Amino acid sequence: MVALAQSSAAGALALLFDPEPLLKQYALKSLNTLVPQFWAEISEHIALIESLYESEELPQPAHDQAALLASKVYYYLGEYDEALSFALGAGSAFENDSRSPGTEEYVETVVSKAIDRYIHGRTAEQAGEGKLDPKLQGIIEGIFRRCIADGEFRQAIGIALESRRLDIIKDIYEQTHDTSLLSYAMEAVLDTAFPLAYRDQVLKFLFPLFPAPTSDAKSAHVYSLTRILVTLNSPEMTVHFLNSLVPRQKLLAYQFAFDLVEGGGQDFLEAIRKDLPEGNEESKPIYDQLRKILLGQESIKLYLEFLKRNNKVDMLILKNTKDALEPRSSIYHTALTLQNAFMHAGTTSDIFLRENLEWLALANNWSKFSAAAAIGVIHKGHFQESMNILGPYLPAQGAESGTGSQAYSEGGALYALGLVNAGVGSGQEVENYLRNLLRNASSEVVQHGAALGLGVAGMGGKSAEAYDDLKQTLFTDSAVAGEAAGYAMGLIMLGTADRTSAEEMLTYARETQHEKIIRGLAIGLALIFYGRQEEADDIVKLLMAEKDPILRYGGVYTLALAYAGTSNNAAVRQLLHVAVSDTSDDVRRAAVTSLAFLLFKNPAQVPRIVQLLSESYNPHVRCGATLALGIACAGTGLQDAVDILEPMTRDSVDFVRQGALIALGMILVEQSEASSPSLAPTRALYAKIVSDKHDDPMARFGAALGQGLIDAGGRNVTISLQSRAGSRNTSAIVGMVLFCQFWYWYPLAHCACLAFEPTGIVGLDENLKAPKFEFTSNARPSLFAYPSLTKPPKKETVTKVATAVLSTTAKAKAREKRKAAAEGETVADDKKDGDVEMKTGEASTIRNEDVSPISLAEGTSTPKSRKSEPSSEKLSNFSRVTPAQLAYITFPTESRYQPVRVVSTRPPPSAARTPKTPSAAALTAEHYAGGGGILILTDTRSGEEAEYIEFETQAVPPATGAAPAGQNPPASAPGRHIALDENAPEADPPESFEYPFDHDT
């Protein structure tokens, strides 16, 4: 017999009016199961249910059932706060009901509300503004217990962080001893919008919980420890930690020092160097080495050597761009200058400039300024020889020359001097030189270059003297010099949130009439509040309320830089609101671009967020969307971003196309043809746009910059806004903010080189020397290979066209042949030189100019029978390792040299399957992974003699033979490309020889 479905709750409700307590208890229990179906009917008696909950006649279980029933009714009525209040009163009944089928949604909602109320209550309790409800405390404790019992440790850690229950995190770690959970807690508190004070409190609590690292165990949490130290910016804590490693774990101490240099600011590193003890007889050499590493110059030298050795610039791309762009046009000259600077950034190879001196001489005014500054980008990091390299261009005897034209090259050289010395710890000599010139210069162009150079070289140095000199330059009210002074003041005081400086700059920005100065000060203000989160809220509110759109523009960047890398929801919401509501196109464009600085740690989210903005009716918003995608997804090869940008390269507005072409270069940097299907079509598109003389100048400018970015640093750097440990890469973020200002001022585009991150594996032993060794990349070589070089165009041979033969002529010739045959003679064939027989099946050739570049690129790869590709390859020290490739790097167990920490925090891929597209795997597996890095190695056979790599400081060896005709010129010759030291000994003359005249023909 089938049970009839219940059609009403009236029977159970009637029992609530019965005087017998047991019947009421039974009715409440029954109604609890009927609520999902008959909640509307039951809600009419909610007052009776509440009175039963408050009644003292019923036993405790009945009280709990009444509270649970009332909670469920209020839940279905949408009154979630009331539902939570009664759930708290239900006690054990709520906990037991949570395991019943069909109540999942109700329980989840109430628990979510309970957590929110608990977090709010804990925050208020810690501030001394109230006391927490013990019933609420009981529910949350139950949630913690259930999470831990089910193994949902990360969920429990998330709630514990939000509710400031750090004791729960400690309990979980003591149960599991899993350092990855501590790393998760660290990432959660760093990458979400917690207040700065609480963030620092959590990090200080977590740091001692991590076990002491050892080089034998290759501890994976080394990255987390580095990130905590860099974020806390506490020299005392860092020195104490380094002291704990010396002398037993000295190699690990060296490794930490190199990692700290990568993420730490100049003032932080300088304080550590000063606070390190002298040490005893055993430890003194170790502390001396640590001071040497923390100076920052060792890292710069090693990466300079890496970029110099592995330079793979395709000179034919530069040659083709030079031939296509009219050199007398200022915009095209600047475009090629920037392209060459980016492609040769840090390689010290100025071969293109030497081979094209006539083109270089055509630069005038600000083009000359940019061309001189480009030398600084090319020699970035070559700080030891910076004065020698730039000597011919710098002002003579500390004062600029009187001629106006010369001032541009002198100003550019001073800017270049700052770029070469960017990030060099002890740049005091250069800074003093630039300050003296800034004070004494009378030309505003020289002042402009000196101010920019001083700002870049002293970034984050907090030098009060430099700030005062820049302030005096600002007060001269020169538009050109004042703009650079505004930027530089922000760079010097980077991240200080100094109220006095901010007020001075804002007051002057309101008083001056020069838009250039206002813009420089607006971005300077943004730089001052870099990384300060809620401390910048007041100044952001002030700037966003200004009538002047340039100050609102500065407010947008202030908000973005204050919350850089945090993905703060409130900040993202505010930027999106400005992007669609502000009256100024410049402010709207900046708001969309600024999303990249908030979201760069989650690049996969950015295409989804800017998808609609990229289809906006406003071209400025579309342009902002292109740069947002380029900066946030830089170096990832993310196909979703490329799919949005590809149609935008055909936009009707020239500056949108420019932005899309630049962004594609950023995204596809260091991608291979095997890993990114968009690489070859994009390169072909660049070549097509650059060579099309009828295309828009701005689009051609964007294509030239894109070519420079996609092959940046000799194809050995990526663009990354975060360090390998996951902390914010300050110089890269600042560099990209300044690069975005190229919209107004092209020379600022050079600052993009501050975001170029070399991706070489550089192995060093305990003496900080580079031994020769090999390691394995467990992936197909083509997956991470350098792109193939451009092939020079083939010379087209003129094919002879078949002569048309009339039918009457053919008949006449046939008659002559028959007549001659009858007479026994032979007739010579009258075929002329121009007569060519047409072969059947000969296809007509297709002209290249009629074929789209994408189909050309796809059509070139004809299927060929080739050998199966190996699944791995051996790489040597100072080899390029891209960010996506890092997960596939292993050191053979039998290798003499082994790293003291893991190369990557990602798990190694399974050997069974080699990845097809590494970029997607890199995004999902790990938010941050700069390629390569400096690795300290332990020598397992220290008794044997080591073989070291000789750095390329020797003179260029003479060529043994001429290169075959038709091949590309060499990307770069080894050794120096410029005479740096006038006192160096001269090269030996070539050996004598006799020319074999007898062999002449």
mmCIF file of all heavy atoms in Angstrom, residues 822-855:
data_model
loop_
_atom_site.group_PDB
_atom_site.id
_atom_site.type_symbol
_atom_site.label_atom_id
_atom_site.label_comp_id
_atom_site.label_asym_id
_atom_site.label_seq_id
_atom_site.Cartn_x
_atom_site.Cartn_y
_atom_site.Cartn_z
ATOM 1 N N ALA A 822 58.995 16.647 -97.493
ATOM 2 C CA ALA A 822 58.819 16.044 -98.826
ATOM 3 C C ALA A 822 60.076 16.201 -99.659
ATOM 4 O O ALA A 822 60.432 15.333 -100.471
ATOM 5 C CB ALA A 822 57.625 16.698 -99.535
ATOM 6 N N GLU A 823 60.816 17.348 -99.426
ATOM 7 C CA GLU A 823 62.050 17.596 -100.179
ATOM 8 C C GLU A 823 63.272 16.992 -99.511
ATOM 9 O O GLU A 823 64.386 17.145 -99.979
ATOM 10 C CB GLU A 823 62.259 19.109 -100.348
ATOM 11 C CG GLU A 823 61.160 19.774 -101.207
ATOM 12 C CD GLU A 823 61.293 21.276 -101.216
ATOM 13 O OE1 GLU A 823 62.241 21.768 -100.557
ATOM 14 O OE2 GLU A 823 60.460 21.962 -101.824
ATOM 15 N N GLY A 824 63.077 16.350 -98.330
ATOM 16 C CA GLY A 824 64.192 15.687 -97.641
ATOM 17 C C GLY A 824 65.067 16.624 -96.854
ATOM 18 O O GLY A 824 66.213 16.303 -96.554
ATOM 19 N N GLU A 825 64.567 17.828 -96.481
ATOM 20 C CA GLU A 825 65.338 18.792 -95.677
ATOM 21 C C GLU A 825 64.763 18.874 -94.263
ATOM 22 O O GLU A 825 63.643 18.451 -94.008
ATOM 23 C CB GLU A 825 65.278 20.184 -96.328
ATOM 24 C CG GLU A 825 65.894 20.222 -97.731
ATOM 25 C CD GLU A 825 65.719 21.583 -98.375
ATOM 26 O OE1 GLU A 825 65.299 22.523 -97.627
ATOM 27 O OE2 GLU A 825 65.976 21.716 -99.572
ATOM 28 N N THR A 826 65.576 19.444 -93.372
ATOM 29 C CA THR A 826 65.109 19.667 -91.992
ATOM 30 C C THR A 826 65.049 21.153 -91.720
ATOM 31 O O THR A 826 65.945 21.896 -92.110
ATOM 32 C CB THR A 826 66.068 19.022 -90.968
ATOM 33 O OG1 THR A 826 67.361 19.564 -91.154
ATOM 34 C CG2 THR A 826 66.094 17.512 -91.130
ATOM 35 N N VAL A 827 64.010 21.568 -91.008
ATOM 36 C CA VAL A 827 63.837 22.989 -90.684
ATOM 37 C C VAL A 827 64.182 23.193 -89.218
ATOM 38 O O VAL A 827 63.719 22.454 -88.351
ATOM 39 C CB VAL A 827 62.387 23.426 -90.933
ATOM 40 C CG1 VAL A 827 62.206 24.910 -90.578
ATOM 41 C CG2 VAL A 827 62.036 23.202 -92.400
ATOM 42 N N ALA A 828 65.063 24.181 -88.980
ATOM 43 C CA ALA A 828 65.441 24.479 -87.579
ATOM 44 C C ALA A 828 64.233 25.044 -86.841
ATOM 45 O O ALA A 828 63.417 25.766 -87.419
ATOM 46 C CB ALA A 828 66.590 25.476 -87.555
ATOM 47 N N ASP A 829 64.190 24.678 -85.592
ATOM 48 C CA ASP A 829 63.083 25.180 -84.756
ATOM 49 C C ASP A 829 63.279 26.662 -84.527
ATOM 50 O O ASP A 829 64.341 27.104 -84.092
ATOM 51 C CB ASP A 829 63.083 24.429 -83.423
ATOM 52 C CG ASP A 829 61.742 24.593 -82.720
ATOM 53 O OD1 ASP A 829 60.922 25.373 -83.213
ATOM 54 O OD2 ASP A 829 61.561 23.910 -81.676
ATOM 55 N N ASP A 830 62.269 27.433 -84.863
ATOM 56 C CA ASP A 830 62.363 28.896 -84.760
ATOM 57 C C ASP A 830 62.086 29.430 -83.361
ATOM 58 O O ASP A 830 61.821 30.590 -83.193
ATOM 59 C CB ASP A 830 61.330 29.557 -85.702
ATOM 60 C CG ASP A 830 61.723 29.356 -87.153
ATOM 61 O OD1 ASP A 830 62.882 28.965 -87.361
ATOM 62 O OD2 ASP A 830 60.879 29.571 -88.030
ATOM 63 N N LYS A 831 62.139 28.573 -82.424
ATOM 64 C CA LYS A 831 61.780 29.014 -81.063
ATOM 65 C C LYS A 831 62.731 30.107 -80.599
ATOM 66 O O LYS A 831 63.935 29.917 -80.597
ATOM 67 C CB LYS A 831 61.850 27.830 -80.102
ATOM 68 C CG LYS A 831 61.187 28.116 -78.779
ATOM 69 C CD LYS A 831 61.318 26.941 -77.862
ATOM 70 C CE LYS A 831 60.382 25.829 -78.245
ATOM 71 N NZ LYS A 831 60.430 24.708 -77.309
ATOM 72 N N LYS A 832 62.179 31.229 -80.267
ATOM 73 C CA LYS A 832 62.996 32.364 -79.811
ATOM 74 C C LYS A 832 63.374 32.175 -78.359
ATOM 75 O O LYS A 832 62.862 31.321 -77.668
ATOM 76 C CB LYS A 832 62.201 33.666 -79.962
ATOM 77 C CG LYS A 832 61.845 33.986 -81.413
ATOM 78 C CD LYS A 832 61.040 35.255 -81.471
ATOM 79 C CE LYS A 832 60.594 35.549 -82.894
ATOM 80 N NZ LYS A 832 59.737 36.733 -82.979
ATOM 81 N N ASP A 833 64.302 33.074 -77.962
ATOM 82 C CA ASP A 833 64.723 33.025 -76.557
ATOM 83 C C ASP A 833 63.537 33.234 -75.623
ATOM 84 O O ASP A 833 63.494 32.691 -74.534
ATOM 85 C CB ASP A 833 65.775 34.113 -76.282
ATOM 86 C CG ASP A 833 67.077 33.771 -76.989
ATOM 87 O OD1 ASP A 833 67.206 32.598 -77.371
ATOM 88 O OD2 ASP A 833 67.911 34.671 -77.126
ATOM 89 N N GLY A 834 62.600 34.048 -76.055
ATOM 90 C CA GLY A 834 61.476 34.371 -75.175
ATOM 91 C C GLY A 834 60.409 33.293 -75.153
ATOM 92 O O GLY A 834 59.495 33.352 -74.350
ATOM 93 N N ASP A 835 60.478 32.286 -76.086
ATOM 94 C CA ASP A 835 59.435 31.264 -76.115
ATOM 95 C C ASP A 835 59.730 30.205 -75.073
ATOM 96 O O ASP A 835 60.765 29.563 -75.105
ATOM 97 C CB ASP A 835 59.367 30.605 -77.499
ATOM 98 C CG ASP A 835 58.966 31.613 -78.566
ATOM 99 O OD1 ASP A 835 58.498 32.689 -78.162
ATOM 100 O OD2 ASP A 835 59.128 31.317 -79.766
ATOM 101 N N VAL A 836 58.823 30.010 -74.177
ATOM 102 C CA VAL A 836 58.982 29.025 -73.108
ATOM 103 C C VAL A 836 57.775 28.124 -73.123
ATOM 104 O O VAL A 836 56.641 28.591 -73.237
ATOM 105 C CB VAL A 836 59.085 29.715 -71.729
ATOM 106 C CG1 VAL A 836 59.197 28.686 -70.625
ATOM 107 C CG2 VAL A 836 60.278 30.651 -71.712
ATOM 108 N N GLU A 837 58.023 26.843 -73.050
ATOM 109 C CA GLU A 837 56.910 25.910 -73.009
ATOM 110 C C GLU A 837 56.270 25.946 -71.615
ATOM 111 O O GLU A 837 56.954 25.861 -70.621
ATOM 112 C CB GLU A 837 57.398 24.481 -73.314
ATOM 113 C CG GLU A 837 57.816 24.309 -74.759
ATOM 114 C CD GLU A 837 58.182 22.858 -75.044
ATOM 115 O OE1 GLU A 837 57.727 21.995 -74.276
ATOM 116 O OE2 GLU A 837 58.905 22.613 -76.008
ATOM 117 N N MET A 838 54.949 26.056 -71.641
ATOM 118 C CA MET A 838 54.217 26.033 -70.373
ATOM 119 C C MET A 838 53.981 24.600 -69.958
ATOM 120 O O MET A 838 53.467 23.800 -70.734
ATOM 121 C CB MET A 838 52.855 26.737 -70.516
ATOM 122 C CG MET A 838 52.958 28.228 -70.705
ATOM 123 S SD MET A 838 53.528 29.054 -69.223
ATOM 124 C CE MET A 838 52.090 28.923 -68.216
ATOM 125 N N LYS A 839 54.409 24.265 -68.742
ATOM 126 C CA LYS A 839 54.226 22.902 -68.246
ATOM 127 C C LYS A 839 52.815 22.757 -67.700
ATOM 128 O O LYS A 839 52.331 23.605 -66.993
ATOM 129 C CB LYS A 839 55.233 22.582 -67.143
ATOM 130 C CG LYS A 839 56.665 22.595 -67.629
ATOM 131 C CD LYS A 839 57.603 22.284 -66.496
ATOM 132 C CE LYS A 839 59.046 22.366 -66.966
ATOM 133 N NZ LYS A 839 59.987 22.158 -65.856
ATOM 134 N N THR A 840 52.213 21.655 -68.039
ATOM 135 C CA THR A 840 50.882 21.390 -67.488
ATOM 136 C C THR A 840 51.019 21.108 -66.010
ATOM 137 O O THR A 840 51.920 20.417 -65.575
ATOM 138 C CB THR A 840 50.249 20.162 -68.185
ATOM 139 O OG1 THR A 840 51.114 19.065 -67.989
ATOM 140 C CG2 THR A 840 50.041 20.430 -69.662
ATOM 141 N N GLY A 841 50.096 21.624 -65.249
ATOM 142 C CA GLY A 841 50.144 21.405 -63.792
ATOM 143 C C GLY A 841 50.959 22.454 -63.071
ATOM 144 O O GLY A 841 51.099 22.406 -61.866
ATOM 145 N N GLU A 842 51.547 23.422 -63.847
ATOM 146 C CA GLU A 842 52.311 24.473 -63.163
ATOM 147 C C GLU A 842 51.329 25.476 -62.567
ATOM 148 O O GLU A 842 50.538 26.074 -63.278
ATOM 149 C CB GLU A 842 53.242 25.163 -64.169
ATOM 150 C CG GLU A 842 54.148 26.197 -63.518
ATOM 151 C CD GLU A 842 55.134 26.780 -64.517
ATOM 152 O OE1 GLU A 842 55.740 26.014 -65.253
ATOM 153 O OE2 GLU A 842 55.257 27.997 -64.544
ATOM 154 N N ALA A 843 51.342 25.629 -61.269
ATOM 155 C CA ALA A 843 50.374 26.494 -60.595
ATOM 156 C C ALA A 843 50.858 27.934 -60.625
ATOM 157 O O ALA A 843 52.049 28.201 -60.575
ATOM 158 C CB ALA A 843 50.176 26.043 -59.161
ATOM 159 N N SER A 844 49.929 28.836 -60.709
ATOM 160 C CA SER A 844 50.286 30.259 -60.652
ATOM 161 C C SER A 844 50.665 30.622 -59.228
ATOM 162 O O SER A 844 50.021 30.194 -58.287
ATOM 163 C CB SER A 844 49.108 31.118 -61.118
ATOM 164 O OG SER A 844 48.021 30.918 -60.258
ATOM 165 N N THR A 845 51.741 31.374 -59.148
ATOM 166 C CA THR A 845 52.226 31.744 -57.812
ATOM 167 C C THR A 845 51.349 32.828 -57.222
ATOM 168 O O THR A 845 50.857 33.696 -57.924
ATOM 169 C CB THR A 845 53.679 32.257 -57.900
ATOM 170 O OG1 THR A 845 53.688 33.350 -58.793
ATOM 171 C CG2 THR A 845 54.618 31.177 -58.376
ATOM 172 N N ILE A 846 51.211 32.756 -55.924
ATOM 173 C CA ILE A 846 50.372 33.736 -55.206
ATOM 174 C C ILE A 846 51.277 34.834 -54.683
ATOM 175 O O ILE A 846 52.319 34.562 -54.102
ATOM 176 C CB ILE A 846 49.643 33.057 -54.045
ATOM 177 C CG1 ILE A 846 48.787 31.914 -54.589
ATOM 178 C CG2 ILE A 846 48.783 34.049 -53.301
ATOM 179 C CD1 ILE A 846 48.204 31.046 -53.500
ATOM 180 N N ARG A 847 50.871 36.043 -54.922
ATOM 181 C CA ARG A 847 51.674 37.158 -54.418
ATOM 182 C C ARG A 847 51.521 37.266 -52.908
ATOM 183 O O ARG A 847 50.426 37.215 -52.380
ATOM 184 C CB ARG A 847 51.222 38.470 -55.066
ATOM 185 C CG ARG A 847 51.515 38.503 -56.553
ATOM 186 C CD ARG A 847 51.135 39.831 -57.142
ATOM 187 N NE ARG A 847 49.725 40.101 -56.891
ATOM 188 C CZ ARG A 847 49.194 41.308 -57.012
ATOM 189 N NH1 ARG A 847 49.933 42.329 -57.335
ATOM 190 N NH2 ARG A 847 47.906 41.503 -56.774
ATOM 191 N N ASN A 848 52.695 37.469 -52.255
ATOM 192 C CA ASN A 848 52.664 37.508 -50.794
ATOM 193 C C ASN A 848 51.824 38.646 -50.254
ATOM 194 O O ASN A 848 51.190 38.525 -49.225
ATOM 195 C CB ASN A 848 54.087 37.639 -50.239
ATOM 196 C CG ASN A 848 54.818 36.320 -50.310
ATOM 197 O OD1 ASN A 848 54.200 35.304 -50.580
ATOM 198 N ND2 ASN A 848 56.113 36.351 -50.068
ATOM 199 N N GLU A 849 51.817 39.780 -51.011
ATOM 200 C CA GLU A 849 51.116 40.924 -50.442
ATOM 201 C C GLU A 849 49.600 40.734 -50.428
ATOM 202 O O GLU A 849 48.890 41.466 -49.782
ATOM 203 C CB GLU A 849 51.476 42.217 -51.194
ATOM 204 C CG GLU A 849 51.151 42.186 -52.685
ATOM 205 C CD GLU A 849 52.341 41.719 -53.521
ATOM 206 O OE1 GLU A 849 53.209 41.017 -52.988
ATOM 207 O OE2 GLU A 849 52.410 42.078 -54.699
ATOM 208 N N ASP A 850 49.109 39.732 -51.135
ATOM 209 C CA ASP A 850 47.675 39.488 -51.164
ATOM 210 C C ASP A 850 47.241 38.472 -50.123
ATOM 211 O O ASP A 850 46.082 38.098 -50.065
ATOM 212 C CB ASP A 850 47.249 39.007 -52.558
ATOM 213 C CG ASP A 850 47.439 40.080 -53.614
ATOM 214 O OD1 ASP A 850 47.439 41.277 -53.234
ATOM 215 O OD2 ASP A 850 47.596 39.741 -54.780
ATOM 216 N N VAL A 851 48.185 37.985 -49.335
ATOM 217 C CA VAL A 851 47.871 36.945 -48.350
ATOM 218 C C VAL A 851 47.930 37.561 -46.960
ATOM 219 O O VAL A 851 48.807 38.357 -46.660
ATOM 220 C CB VAL A 851 48.887 35.777 -48.457
ATOM 221 C CG1 VAL A 851 48.503 34.662 -47.508
ATOM 222 C CG2 VAL A 851 48.919 35.259 -49.883
ATOM 223 N N SER A 852 46.982 37.210 -46.092
ATOM 224 C CA SER A 852 47.005 37.753 -44.737
ATOM 225 C C SER A 852 48.188 37.183 -43.980
ATOM 226 O O SER A 852 48.582 36.044 -44.221
ATOM 227 C CB SER A 852 45.713 37.390 -43.999
ATOM 228 O OG SER A 852 45.730 36.037 -43.648
ATOM 229 N N PRO A 853 48.781 37.955 -43.066
ATOM 230 C CA PRO A 853 49.959 37.479 -42.340
ATOM 231 C C PRO A 853 49.683 36.227 -41.528
ATOM 232 O O PRO A 853 50.549 35.395 -41.331
ATOM 233 C CB PRO A 853 50.326 38.660 -41.432
ATOM 234 C CG PRO A 853 49.105 39.501 -41.363
ATOM 235 C CD PRO A 853 48.393 39.308 -42.659
ATOM 236 N N ILE A 854 48.431 36.088 -41.055
ATOM 237 C CA ILE A 854 48.126 34.923 -40.226
ATOM 238 C C ILE A 854 48.142 33.659 -41.073
ATOM 239 O O ILE A 854 48.718 32.647 -40.707
ATOM 240 C CB ILE A 854 46.773 35.123 -39.516
ATOM 241 C CG1 ILE A 854 46.913 36.243 -38.482
ATOM 242 C CG2 ILE A 854 46.290 33.849 -38.865
ATOM 243 C CD1 ILE A 854 45.662 36.572 -37.745
ATOM 244 N N SER A 855 47.535 33.746 -42.300
ATOM 245 C CA SER A 855 47.543 32.554 -43.148
ATOM 246 C C SER A 855 48.944 32.266 -43.648
ATOM 247 O O SER A 855 49.329 31.123 -43.853
ATOM 248 C CB SER A 855 46.585 32.736 -44.326
ATOM 249 O OG SER A 855 46.990 33.839 -45.125
#
